[in-house]
């Protein structure tokens, strides 16, 4: 889980979401549109849309903009037509890099992602070259100073969670994608507030990297996430704790 949880930790410490609020708005708006297009505009019957709305609220996207994005996704309002694309490749230290993007111009996006990869010590690969290393999972995180492991475990297992992992400052609940919404609702009903709730691509195994490679991987992932078309970036690196501590 290191590639997922530590990258989230780095983002939180460096306040990436706050610094890049405009870009965050763009990403959550696109996800709202894509989710609504894929499963309809009713969050009660569209789990992906429900998660997208929750993420948009966390990002402080105004309610009217949330509603507009959903209507654009369903076609009720005219709007951009984005395609969902995934790019695969390798980063410094030979780690796997998986990039999820939403674009209205595939040629532009693939060229930009390829340029960012090569400029930051990475390389694009063929489709399928690293995707098999990742598993789609539902992930909910809870602050350790707010809830005990027993509290999280009890509610999680009662509502279909697979496991509860100790990830430093947080408890991380893992679910199958189809069990994610039931688990999220279970915690909500129990009055337990999660820091994050999302369905993400999680590495099945991780690759240990040294401090030098770790710093390069972080720069690469930040550069990729800075691209307007990129929605999420995943990797299977295991970053040394001393490097992470230096970023606090």
């Amino acid at each position: 889980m290191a590639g997922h949880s530590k990258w989230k930790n780095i983002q939180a410490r460096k306040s990436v979401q706050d610094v890049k609020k405009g870009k965050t708005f763009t990403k959550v708006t696109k996800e709202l549109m894509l989710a609504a297009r894929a499963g309809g505009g009713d969050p009660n019957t569209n789990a992906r849309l429900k998660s997208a709305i929750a993420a948009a609220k966390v990002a402080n996207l105004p309610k009217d903009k949330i509603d507009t994005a959903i209507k654009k996704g369903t076609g009720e309002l005219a709007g951009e037509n984005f395609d969902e694309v995934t790019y695969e490749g390798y980063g410094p230290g030979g780690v796997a890099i998986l990039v999820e993007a939403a674009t209205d111009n595939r040629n532009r996006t693939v060229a930009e992602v390829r340029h960012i990869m090569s400029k930051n010590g990475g390389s694009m690969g063929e489709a399928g070259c690293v995707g098999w290393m990742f598993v789609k999972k539902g992930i909910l995180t809870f602050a350790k100073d707010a809830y005990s492991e027993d509290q999280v475990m009890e509610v999680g297992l009662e509502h279909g969670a697979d496991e509860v992992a100790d990830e430093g400052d947080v408890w991380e609940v893992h679910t199958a994608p189809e069990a994610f919404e039931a688990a999220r609702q279970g915690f909500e009903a129990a009055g337990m507030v999660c820091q994050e709730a999302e369905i993400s691509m999680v590495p099945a195994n991780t690759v240990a990297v040294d401090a030098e490679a770790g710093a390069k991987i972080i720069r690469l992932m930040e550069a990729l996430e800075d691209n307007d078309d990129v929605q999420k970036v995943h990797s299977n690196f295991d970053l040394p704790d001393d490097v992470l501590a230096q970023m606090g």
Side-chain angles (χ1 to χ4, degrees), residues 89-101:
Y90 302 92
V95 303
I97 301 289
L98 195 66
V99 180
E100 295 181 49

Side-chain angles (χ1 to χ4, degrees), residues 58-218:
V58 169
N60 293 316
L61 186 68
K63 185 179 184 303
D64 62 325
K65 293 189 180 297
I66 293 176
D67 294 339
T68 297
I70 293 172
K71 289 177 179 177
K72 285 183 177 180
T74 60
E76 189 176 339
L77 293 176
E80 306 90 332
N81 188 24
F82 296 110
D83 291 326
E84 293 184 86
V85 290
T86 300
Y87 304 109
E88 302 178 41
Y90 302 92
V95 303
I97 301 289
L98 195 66
V99 180
E100 295 181 49
T103 178
D104 58 0
N105 186 324
R106 286 173 177 254
N107 291 334
R108 177 196 68 224
T109 305
V110 70
E112 290 178 352
V113 170
R114 190 185 304 277
H115 175 71
I116 293 169
M117 292 279 279
S118 61
K119 184 179 178 181
N120 290 276
S123 61
M124 290 278 279
E126 298 294 324
C129 67
V130 301
W132 61 273
M133 301 180 190
F134 295 82
V135 178
K136 183 175 285 189
K137 288 187 177 184
I139 299 173
L140 303 100
T141 61
F142 297 87
K144 280 188 175 180
D145 58 7
Y147 308 105
S148 70
E149 183 176 17
D150 286 343
Q151 285 177 291
V152 176
M153 185 84 72
E154 181 180 355
V155 177
L157 295 181
E158 183 181 345
H159 293 89
D162 292 331
E163 63 175 330
V164 175
D166 183 342
E167 294 292 347
D169 295 334
V170 299
W171 304 114
E172 205 168 74
V173 178
H174 308 155
T175 77
E178 58 272 17
F180 171 75
E181 186 57 26
R184 192 191 67 76
Q185 290 182 6
F187 282 110
E188 188 176 281
M192 298 175 68
V193 180
C194 59
Q195 291 184 333
E196 284 198 42
E198 64 176 351
I199 293 177
S200 185
M201 299 300 291
V202 176
N205 296 289
T206 57
V207 175
V209 297
D210 60 23
E212 182 179 357
K216 291 178 180 177
I217 293 165
I218 291 168

Side-chain angles (χ1 to χ4, degrees), residues 25-43:
F25 279 6
T26 298
K27 294 180 193 296
V28 296
T29 298
K30 281 186 178 180
E31 176 58 17
L32 286 165
M33 293 171 63
L34 291 167
R37 187 179 74 182
D42 183 359

